[in-house]
Amino acid sequence: DTQADGTTPANPAGGGRPSVSRTFRRAGFAVLVVLALGATATAAVFGVQLRDAKAVESAAREASDVARQYAVTLTSVGADLEGDFAAVLDGATGEFEKMYAESSEQLRQLLIDNQAQAEGVVVESGIKSATPTKVEVLLFIDQSVTNALVPEPRLDRSRVVMTMELVDGRWLASQVDLP
């Protein structure tokens, strides 16, 4: 049934229709094309998911580092009150920035009147939730506090949930809660 040129002739009984083996080859090729397209689409989806996961992981790491530093800024008060307050406001945004700015004058006077000083240390931290532009960081902070009435350092231990938001390329605290 093979011609001299090595090809299979059309099925003589079928009136010029292609042979069964040629039909199977076409179907097999079509299946391979569909499988290749499916594999490519699956790889693209997994690639996007991997990229997104890496973006969230990177955001969480960066925001956590900034939150740890900011927590020390927020819980440390020394002789340079103006500089301390300016540093806190520089790292804040949104409602937290507004609230801190409104209450800072009363806090400043209270610290001056009581000759208070404090030094915060982040003992541990972890990520509570994260997206590429917003990260909640849980911080465990030890704060050594002295004042005119209690000159010996007193240790205060706090848990803080700090919400960090990416604003113009900087991670800033938009909310600080003491649960």
Side-chain angles (χ1 to χ4, degrees):
D1 287 342
T2 305
Q3 296 180 345
D5 65 359
T7 62
T8 305
N11 187 350
R17 289 191 305 207
S19 70
V20 172
S21 65
R22 189 170 183 192
T23 302
F24 279 127
R25 275 186 275 153
R26 284 185 180 168
F29 180 73
V31 168
L32 285 176
V33 168
V34 169
L35 288 174
L37 290 174
T40 301
T42 300
V45 167
F46 284 137
V48 168
Q49 288 176 341
L50 179 62
R51 181 196 67 207
D52 291 348
K54 286 187 177 187
V56 169
E57 183 181 313
S58 177
R61 186 175 39 256
E62 291 171 13
S64 178
D65 290 345
V66 173
R68 288 178 67 92
Q69 294 169 4
Y70 189 68
V72 170
T73 300
L74 193 59
T75 58
S76 297
V77 178
D80 181 17
L81 282 180
E82 294 305 316
D84 293 338
F85 278 82
V88 170
L89 287 172
D90 183 55
T93 190
E95 285 300 313
F96 178 68
E97 179 183 30
K98 181 181 175 188
M99 183 275 307
Y100 192 85
E102 289 172 356
S103 64
S104 63
E105 190 54 44
Q106 290 175 344
L107 179 59
R108 180 182 292 117
Q109 194 57 51
L110 183 67
L111 293 170
I112 291 170
D113 291 347
N114 291 293
Q115 300 171 0
Q117 293 197 357
E119 182 179 349
V121 175
V122 176
V123 177
E124 192 63 62
S125 67
I127 305 301
K128 186 174 176 187
S129 67
T131 71
T133 59
K134 188 174 185 177
V135 178
E136 282 185 301
V137 183
L138 178 61
L139 301 137
F140 294 90
I141 302 167
D142 284 352
Q143 184 183 36
S144 176
V145 179
T146 60
N147 60 46
L149 296 175
V150 184
E152 288 297 314
R154 182 187 80 233
L155 186 64
D156 289 337
R157 292 194 161 127
S158 303
R159 287 183 321 187
V160 174
V161 177
M162 192 176 296
T163 303
M164 304 299 290
E165 292 188 28
L166 190 59
V167 178
D168 297 330
R170 291 180 62 208
W171 286 103
L172 302 173
S174 63
Q175 189 171 346
V176 177
D177 294 317
L178 297 156

